[in-house]
Amino acid sequence: MRFTDKNDLIGVFRIMTNSDCDKRTVILDAALQLFSENGFHGTPMTLLAEKANVGIGTIYRYFKNKEEVISNLYKELKSESVAAMRENISRDMPIREQFINIFENMLKYYIANPQKFLFMEQYSYSPFINSSTKQEVCSAYAESLVSFFEYGKKHQVIKDLSTQIIFATANGQVVSLAKMHIAGEINLNDDMIRKAIETSWDALKR
Amino acid sequence: MRFTDKNDLIGVFRIMTNSDCDKRTVILDAALQLFSENGFHGTPMTLLAEKANVGIGTIYRYFKNKEEVISNLYKELKSESVAAMRENISRDMPIREQFINIFENMLKYYIANPQKFLFMEQYSYSPFINSSTKQEVCSAYAESLVSFFEYGKKHQVIKDLSTQIIFATANGQVVSLAKMHIAGEINLNDDMIRKAIETSWDALKR
Amino acid sequence: MRFTDKNDLIGVFRIMTNSDCDKRTVILDAALQLFSENGFHGTPMTLLAEKANVGIGTIYRYFKNKEEVISNLYKELKSESVAAMRENISRDMPIREQFINIFENMLKYYIANPQKFLFMEQYSYSPFINSSTKQEVCSAYAESLVSFFEYGKKHQVIKDLSTQIIFATANGQVVSLAKMHIAGEINLNDDMIRKAIETSWDALKR
Amino acid sequence: MRFTDKNDLIGVFRIMTNSDCDKRTVILDAALQLFSENGFHGTPMTLLAEKANVGIGTIYRYFKNKEEVISNLYKELKSESVAAMRENISRDMPIREQFINIFENMLKYYIANPQKFLFMEQYSYSPFINSSTKQEVCSAYAESLVSFFEYGKKHQVIKDLSTQIIFATANGQVVSLAKMHIAGEINLNDDMIRKAIETSWDALKR
DNA sequence: AATGAATGAGACTTCATTCAT
DNA sequence: TATGAATGAAGTCTCATTCAT
């Protein structure tokens, strides 16, 4: 199996997958797919190895244990999603526009990456996870929004509510919509997304 | 079952099977506590038996297998939460008041029952679960809100948005707040709860 | 395998092996045999289960882990060997006779129970073992001899040497002889055993 | 090899293969330290490579497999210990003096080289080892003592006992003392060592 | 009806060894 | 010659489930 054939002639193919075939990445890619579909506990390490086309031992060269595979994947995805959220945002834009762009970015990212979304949500509810990782990584995301909301409140464009409530209102809607969309309970298009976020803005604007 | 119907008439029958019902209840109570703390996979059946003060064999007299324990618990809790949501609501009230009462009920129920909330959320994200149960049970909850929102839209009190978006907006906020409160990231009191729900209403009102 | 046949008709046989078929004992018996032949690391738990005619899970009902199997076995054997050493000894006997009986007992016990001897020696040299168990158990053995040697020194029948040196001289010889006998390098009979121990006495007598 | 022959004449040749020899030596040195501390099974080859500051692959250039590392180390140490035993001994000395010197040499060597002693004892009890190596190497040691004891018996200075019993008596004491000293159960100094060996002589002298 | 001892499939992980560089 | 990434067999242990009492 798996390149074991000694008389392998497809060297060219190998070269192609050589550089980006960074084993760590390959493992995390397979992990995302399997974890999002079958859950952490529904994904034995043997299956992960098979999906990633590596030996099990190889996984343990890159990650100390299963939990580290999960938490490393989470960290990478969270960074990626934070980056996605920040696209096309600048401090010069009107606050309303920033708000709408931020949450549109987020919702669109979730919808375009359902596996990543499902994995992150699963992770965030899993009592099985070392919460230090959760904290460590979430802060980047939260802080960035917190300062934005506080800026909006100071400029009297956003209601004078506890920042957490503001966060929960906007973020909660987006998460809820993504979940429903992925579950097939709703079929969001760009127009609906825009309307949904504007609705959220109506909640929070002054 | 236990809490499904407030107008339960078979009380007499229940008294007869009292001890039966006790064991079942005792097991589900222990299950809620353990599952919410350690997760489904962090809770071996032997531990459940021990916590419930019954033999392991006994659990298998009341539930076909572990998954049935989980899904039965979910069903009961979902019914209970739907009942909680409906308290103090009547069709005569103004729609706004109904809306606020419904979501206040819900948020307060979650906060008062953190284990139940955490269990239900964990369940809803677990790929491990037979989704038929999920569907089956959620409908009661969703349907009842759907018809309310549609009523509100027809009377031009609620915005003319897709019902799912309306649902996601209100429900998402509440779930998000409950999660944060339980995680200790916010400390909600009655006043904050009221303000948060009113904010949600601002989003959806016409 | 192993009693799995549902139509098993040899109930009588089962009853026979029922009471003494205390699983714990059966496991330790199998463990002694396998450990003495193949060593701790040459004996996988699966093999132990097979030899003991129990499921692997059963081993873990009686012992927390492999190490506990080993240390429990050691404790039992050490007690047994101490008991063997003490046979036919009484404080009334001349010290010389006591000495000879003690070490004859010991050597004969080792020779009659080569597996037990080999297991105990293997254990005592294994860096893999929790030394607290070693200490805990050995003391009974050592103390009993220590007080005997001190008694002999006080009565000026045994040389005035450090008790440890006395112990090492007598015990070392016996262990060394047992090892050689079991390895087939010498073939000890009662007469040789007697002569060997008398030689040891010559070393220590005053 | 390294220590086998004091009158080694191929020094020139050695200088040529200097680096070769270094790697092999470095590996065996690291092996001694790790094996004596953690045991054979507690020492992965990767750890050995790390400790020796060589790649794992390199170990396999010098030794066919792990067992060969162990047995080669054993052979070298056994040769070394035999050499140590023979120091300051000459056929001209009185037999008693030879005896005392031989076993003093041995005990002092063990005490001065606790790792080597522990390794050799561990090895000698390990059922894991190919016993052919054991035989092959021990003979040098045993034979040399055997002829000495037989010489002593012939000259009627040593008791007319089976040579094996004589060997077991003297060797057993020394091994036992070394073990106790290293374990901290006794603290031997030159005077005690001398007394202990003299005691041994009392056992065996005619 | 209730129990819990017994089971073994299957999970996670280690580590001796290989082989391409 | 030297390296160390890659491998997967094999080990330990857990835990859902069964069944005799």
Side-chain angles (χ1 to χ4, degrees):
Chain A
M1 244 166 279
R2 216 177 327 136
F3 305 129
T4 11
D5 193 354
K6 304 289 183 182
N7 306 318
D8 196 333
L9 294 171
I10 52 171
V12 180
F13 192 75
R14 270 200 196 165
I15 288 159
M16 284 172 63
T17 55
N18 208 2
S19 66
D20 64 306
C21 187
D22 174 15
K23 296 249 195 267
R24 202 188 113 93
T25 306
V26 165
I27 292 165
L28 289 179
D29 285 350
L32 172 59
Q33 200 168 324
L34 293 172
F35 288 153
S36 67
E37 278 165 21
N38 315 321
F40 307 145
H41 297 280
T43 307
M45 296 299 268
T46 40
L47 183 60
L48 177 52
E50 200 180 303
K51 184 83 165 193
N53 268 307
V54 299
I56 317 186
T58 305
I59 300 179
Y60 287 88
R61 280 197 68 74
Y62 290 92
F63 304 95
K64 217 180 69 196
N65 51 35
K66 191 177 185 178
E67 188 168 337
E68 292 255 298
V69 176
I70 296 170
S71 62
N72 273 277
L73 179 55
Y74 181 70
K75 280 180 205 163
E76 303 222 341
L77 294 183
K78 202 71 194 179
S79 304
E80 187 183 303
S81 75
V82 169
M85 173 184 85
R86 285 174 172 157
E87 293 223 330
N88 309 318
I89 306 294
S90 94
R91 288 264 138 157
D92 316 328
M93 290 176 179
I95 288 172
R96 179 182 187 275
E97 202 180 332
Q98 282 189 54
F99 177 91
I100 286 174
N101 285 359
I102 285 170
F103 290 96
E104 266 194 14
N105 281 342
M106 194 168 308
L107 183 48
K108 283 177 177 171
Y109 173 80
Y110 290 156
I111 285 173
N113 301 280
Q115 291 184 327
K116 296 179 181 177
F117 172 77
L118 290 174
F119 172 84
M120 287 189 288
E121 285 296 311
Q122 190 191 157
Y123 182 92
S124 84
Y125 275 108
S126 176
F128 147 90
I129 266 74
N130 177 339
S131 68
S132 74
T133 303
K134 228 181 287 184
Q135 223 76 36
E136 171 192 337
V137 166
C138 280
S139 52
Y141 170 65
E143 271 167 31
S144 159
L145 284 176
V146 161
S147 67
F148 169 69
F149 290 138
E150 251 137 41
Y151 181 79
K153 283 198 280 184
K154 199 163 65 186
H155 285 64
Q156 309 200 340
V157 183
I158 288 178
K159 280 181 186 154
D160 187 30
L161 286 164
S162 136
T163 303
Q164 279 89 355
I165 291 179
I166 296 170
F167 173 81
T169 303
N171 186 67
Q173 186 209 42
V174 160
V175 167
S176 203
L177 284 171
K179 209 175 153 185
M180 290 169 78
H181 178 89
I182 290 165
E185 295 163 14
I186 183 175
N187 195 343
L188 293 168
N189 57 33
D190 282 5
D191 187 52
M192 291 164 81
I193 289 172
R194 159 64 59 135
K195 284 214 178 94
I197 308 296
E198 284 174 348
T199 298
S200 211
W201 176 254
D202 288 344
L204 302 171
K205 74 168 183 223
R206 203 148 178 198
Chain B
M1 231 165 270
R2 275 179 304 146
F3 307 94
T4 325
D5 197 347
K6 301 290 185 181
N7 306 316
D8 197 332
L9 294 171
I10 52 169
V12 180
F13 193 76
R14 271 204 192 160
I15 288 160
M16 286 172 64
T17 57
N18 203 5
S19 66
D20 255 38
C21 200
D22 271 2
K23 284 252 158 60
R24 204 188 113 91
T25 305
V26 160
I27 292 166
L28 289 179
D29 285 352
L32 171 60
Q33 200 169 326
L34 293 172
F35 288 153
S36 67
E37 277 165 21
N38 315 320
F40 308 145
H41 296 280
T43 307
M45 295 297 268
T46 39
L47 183 61
L48 177 53
E50 198 182 305
K51 184 84 165 192
N53 267 309
V54 299
I56 326 174
T58 306
I59 298 180
Y60 284 87
R61 286 201 63 75
Y62 290 91
F63 305 93
K64 214 180 77 197
N65 52 34
K66 191 178 186 178
E67 189 168 336
E68 291 256 297
V69 176
I70 296 169
S71 61
N72 274 276
L73 179 56
Y74 181 70
K75 282 180 205 164
E76 302 222 344
L77 295 182
K78 202 71 195 179
S79 302
E80 186 184 304
S81 76
V82 169
M85 173 184 84
R86 285 173 174 159
E87 292 224 330
N88 310 319
I89 305 295
S90 93
R91 290 263 139 158
D92 316 328
M93 291 176 177
I95 288 172
R96 180 180 187 277
E97 201 180 334
Q98 282 188 54
F99 177 91
I100 286 175
N101 285 357
I102 285 170
F103 288 96
E104 266 196 13
N105 282 341
M106 196 168 306
L107 183 48
K108 285 178 176 171
Y109 173 80
Y110 290 156
I111 285 173
N113 300 280
Q115 290 185 330
K116 295 178 182 176
F117 172 77
L118 289 174
F119 172 83
M120 287 189 288
E121 284 296 312
Q122 189 191 158
Y123 183 92
S124 84
Y125 275 107
S126 175
F128 148 90
I129 267 73
N130 179 338
S131 70
S132 75
T133 302
K134 227 181 287 183
Q135 223 74 37
E136 173 193 333
V137 165
C138 281
S139 51
Y141 170 65
E143 271 167 30
S144 128
L145 283 176
V146 162
S147 66
F148 169 69
F149 290 138
E150 251 137 40
Y151 180 79
K153 283 199 281 183
K154 200 163 64 186
H155 285 64
Q156 309 200 342
V157 184
I158 289 179
K159 277 182 188 153
D160 187 30
L161 286 163
S162 138
T163 303
Q164 278 87 356
I165 291 179
I166 296 171
F167 173 81
T169 304
N171 186 66
Q173 187 210 40
V174 160
V175 167
S176 202
L177 285 170
K179 209 176 153 184
M180 291 170 78
H181 179 88
I182 291 166
E185 295 163 14
I186 184 176
N187 196 343
L188 293 169
N189 57 32
D190 282 4
D191 188 50
M192 289 163 83
I193 289 173
R194 159 63 60 134
K195 282 213 178 97
I197 307 297
E198 283 173 349
T199 298
S200 210
W201 175 254
D202 289 345
L204 301 171
K205 75 167 182 223
R206 201 147 178 199
Chain C
M1 247 165 278
R2 215 182 324 137
F3 306 129
T4 9
D5 192 353
K6 303 289 181 181
N7 305 317
D8 196 334
L9 294 171
I10 53 171
V12 179
F13 191 75
R14 270 199 194 163
I15 288 158
M16 283 173 64
T17 55
N18 207 2
S19 65
D20 65 306
C21 187
D22 176 14
K23 295 247 193 266
R24 201 188 112 92
T25 306
V26 165
I27 292 165
L28 290 179
D29 286 350
L32 172 59
Q33 200 169 326
L34 293 171
F35 287 153
S36 67
E37 278 165 22
N38 316 320
F40 307 145
H41 297 281
T43 307
M45 295 299 268
T46 40
L47 183 60
L48 177 52
E50 200 179 304
K51 184 84 164 191
N53 268 308
V54 300
I56 317 187
T58 305
I59 300 178
Y60 287 89
R61 281 196 68 72
Y62 290 91
F63 305 94
K64 218 180 70 196
N65 51 36
K66 191 177 185 178
E67 188 168 338
E68 292 255 298
V69 177
I70 296 170
S71 61
N72 274 277
L73 180 55
Y74 181 70
K75 280 181 205 163
E76 303 222 341
L77 295 182
K78 203 70 194 178
S79 304
E80 188 184 301
S81 75
V82 169
M85 172 185 84
R86 285 174 173 158
E87 293 224 331
N88 310 319
I89 306 294
S90 93
R91 289 263 137 159
D92 315 329
M93 292 177 177
I95 287 172
R96 180 181 187 277
E97 201 180 335
Q98 281 189 55
F99 177 90
I100 286 174
N101 286 356
I102 285 171
F103 288 95
E104 266 195 12
N105 282 341
M106 196 168 308
L107 182 48
K108 285 179 177 171
Y109 173 81
Y110 290 156
I111 285 173
N113 300 279
Q115 290 184 329
K116 295 179 181 177
F117 172 77
L118 290 174
F119 172 83
M120 287 188 289
E121 284 296 312
Q122 190 191 158
Y123 183 92
S124 84
Y125 275 107
S126 176
F128 146 91
I129 266 73
N130 178 341
S131 69
S132 75
T133 302
K134 229 181 286 184
Q135 222 76 36
E136 172 192 334
V137 166
C138 281
S139 52
Y141 170 64
E143 272 168 30
S144 158
L145 284 176
V146 162
S147 67
F148 169 69
F149 290 138
E150 250 136 42
Y151 180 79
K153 284 198 280 184
K154 200 164 64 186
H155 285 63
Q156 308 199 342
V157 184
I158 289 178
K159 280 182 186 151
D160 187 31
L161 286 163
S162 137
T163 303
Q164 279 89 355
I165 290 179
I166 297 171
F167 172 81
T169 304
N171 186 67
Q173 185 208 43
V174 160
V175 166
S176 203
L177 284 171
K179 209 175 154 184
M180 291 169 78
H181 178 88
I182 291 166
E185 295 163 14
I186 184 175
N187 196 343
L188 293 168
N189 57 34
D190 282 4
D191 187 50
M192 290 164 81
I193 289 172
R194 159 64 59 138
K195 285 215 178 92
I197 307 297
E198 283 173 349
T199 298
S200 210
W201 176 253
D202 288 344
L204 302 171
K205 72 163 182 231
R206 205 153 178 194
Chain D
M1 234 162 270
R2 273 180 306 147
F3 306 96
T4 322
D5 197 348
K6 301 289 183 184
N7 306 316
D8 197 333
L9 294 171
I10 52 169
V12 180
F13 192 75
R14 270 207 193 159
I15 288 159
M16 285 172 63
T17 56
N18 202 4
S19 66
D20 254 39
C21 201
D22 271 1
K23 283 255 157 65
R24 204 189 112 90
T25 305
V26 160
I27 292 165
L28 289 179
D29 285 351
L32 172 59
Q33 198 169 326
L34 293 172
F35 288 153
S36 68
E37 276 165 21
N38 315 319
F40 307 145
H41 296 280
T43 306
M45 295 296 269
T46 39
L47 183 60
L48 176 53
E50 197 181 307
K51 184 86 166 189
N53 267 310
V54 300
I56 328 174
T58 306
I59 299 179
Y60 284 87
R61 286 201 63 75
Y62 289 90
F63 304 94
K64 213 180 78 197
N65 52 35
K66 191 177 186 179
E67 189 168 336
E68 292 257 297
V69 177
I70 296 170
S71 61
N72 274 276
L73 179 56
Y74 182 71
K75 282 180 205 163
E76 303 224 342
L77 294 182
K78 203 71 196 178
S79 302
E80 186 185 305
S81 75
V82 169
M85 173 184 83
R86 285 172 173 159
E87 294 223 331
N88 309 319
I89 305 294
S90 91
R91 290 263 139 157
D92 316 328
M93 290 177 177
I95 289 172
R96 179 181 187 277
E97 202 179 334
Q98 282 188 55
F99 177 92
I100 285 173
N101 285 358
I102 287 170
F103 288 96
E104 266 195 13
N105 282 341
M106 195 169 308
L107 183 48
K108 284 178 177 173
Y109 173 79
Y110 290 156
I111 284 173
N113 300 280
Q115 290 184 330
K116 295 179 182 177
F117 172 77
L118 289 175
F119 173 84
M120 286 189 288
E121 284 297 311
Q122 191 191 157
Y123 183 92
S124 84
Y125 275 108
S126 176
F128 147 91
I129 266 76
N130 180 338
S131 69
S132 75
T133 302
K134 227 181 288 183
Q135 224 75 35
E136 172 191 336
V137 165
C138 280
S139 52
Y141 170 64
E143 271 166 32
S144 124
L145 283 175
V146 161
S147 67
F148 168 69
F149 290 138
E150 251 136 41
Y151 180 79
K153 283 199 280 184
K154 199 163 64 187
H155 284 63
Q156 308 200 343
V157 184
I158 289 179
K159 279 182 185 152
D160 186 30
L161 286 163
S162 137
T163 304
Q164 279 87 357
I165 290 178
I166 297 170
F167 172 80
T169 304
N171 186 66
Q173 188 210 40
V174 160
V175 167
S176 202
L177 284 171
K179 209 176 153 184
M180 289 170 78
H181 179 88
I182 291 166
E185 295 163 15
I186 185 175
N187 196 345
L188 293 168
N189 57 33
D190 282 5
D191 187 51
M192 289 164 83
I193 289 172
R194 159 63 59 135
K195 284 213 178 95
I197 308 296
E198 283 174 348
T199 299
S200 211
W201 176 253
D202 289 343
L204 302 171
K205 73 165 182 228
R206 203 150 178 196

